[in-house]
Amino acid sequence: MIDTLAGYNAGKRSLMEDAQSIKIKVSSDYLALSAGEEDIEHPLYYIVVREGGGGSPTFAESTLVRYQGSLLNGTLFDESQDFVWQELPNTVRGYGNGVAMLNAGTEDQIVENPDGTYDISNSGFGILVIPSGLGYFNNPGSSLIPRYSPLVFKIELGLYVQDNDRDGDGVPSIEEDLNGNG
């Protein structure tokens, strides 16, 4: 619960008080709505729980993350308990834009645990609340996600590849988004 404090935490400040939002325009064509309509603005909400020690990726980068995806009611639909590499352009629109609002850790803070796993001691933590128009909209692709569902992601951003060049043409992928529409 990010908006409710009870019991031992009742006198503390809610994380929801730190929520910020950005507006992201999505074309009606992208949502498979009538062609020719204007772009539709969707608010993406994010909470920086812990500022990472490194920089912020763009929505076009490759990132090393641990994450948990759920519905607003808390139903878990996906998670990674260990760090995994994700190409942000291959994720839902709001996820990539939301991860770009967080700061990563730094390579000099990688700690190997006795069990062979590792942590990044100065990684960033954040929470994203993504409306359906920036998520799966009416085509969830999973029986665990109903149509038109807002999504919640808890993310630990470990590292990222700066100026990622996905197509290998020598131009960073972020610089190939000339119209800024993702």
Side-chain angles (χ1 to χ4, degrees):
M1 301 290 289
I2 60 174
D3 64 345
T4 304
L5 296 173
Y8 175 77
N9 292 317
K12 296 184 180 174
R13 194 168 166 273
S14 166
L15 284 175
M16 199 62 193
E17 294 179 38
D18 294 331
Q20 300 178 61
S21 69
I22 56 173
K23 301 275 186 187
I24 299 172
K25 289 185 178 183
V26 178
S27 74
S28 55
D29 292 339
Y30 178 80
L31 298 174
L33 300 174
S34 302
E37 289 187 24
E38 294 182 23
D39 290 348
I40 302 165
E41 269 193 359
H42 295 275
L44 168 68
Y45 299 94
Y46 66 97
I47 300 169
V48 176
V49 176
R50 182 175 82 191
E51 199 67 49
S56 292
T58 70
F59 63 83
E61 310 293 11
S62 180
T63 57
L64 185 67
V65 299
R66 274 195 277 226
Y67 67 92
Q68 187 178 71
S70 63
L71 304 177
L72 288 178
N73 67 7
T75 302
L76 185 69
F77 62 80
D78 193 12
E79 79 175 314
S80 165
Q81 294 183 0
D82 294 321
F83 281 107
V84 295
W85 282 102
Q86 287 183 331
E87 298 288 332
L88 292 181
N90 294 340
T91 63
V92 293
R93 180 93 181 258
Y95 183 90
N97 288 99
V99 171
M101 305 311 297
L102 305 174
N103 282 16
T106 56
E107 289 185 34
D108 64 337
Q109 296 295 312
I110 297 174
V111 177
E112 186 172 348
N113 300 318
D115 64 358
T117 61
Y118 57 93
D119 286 307
I120 301 169
S121 62
N122 66 348
S123 59
F125 282 93
I127 300 170
L128 309 177
V129 180
I130 302 171
S132 68
L134 296 174
Y136 293 104
F137 194 54
N138 64 355
N139 188 15
S142 166
S143 61
L144 300 174
I145 304 172
R147 295 174 185 262
Y148 309 108
S149 292
L151 309 172
V152 177
F153 284 94
K154 298 173 190 171
I155 298 168
E156 179 180 1
L157 178 56
L159 302 171
Y160 71 99
V161 177
Q162 190 170 3
D163 295 328
N164 193 31
D165 180 12
R166 295 186 67 226
D167 58 8
D169 65 357
V171 178
S173 297
I174 190 64
E175 293 179 18
E176 295 187 80
D177 183 23
L178 299 179
N179 62 0
N181 70 355

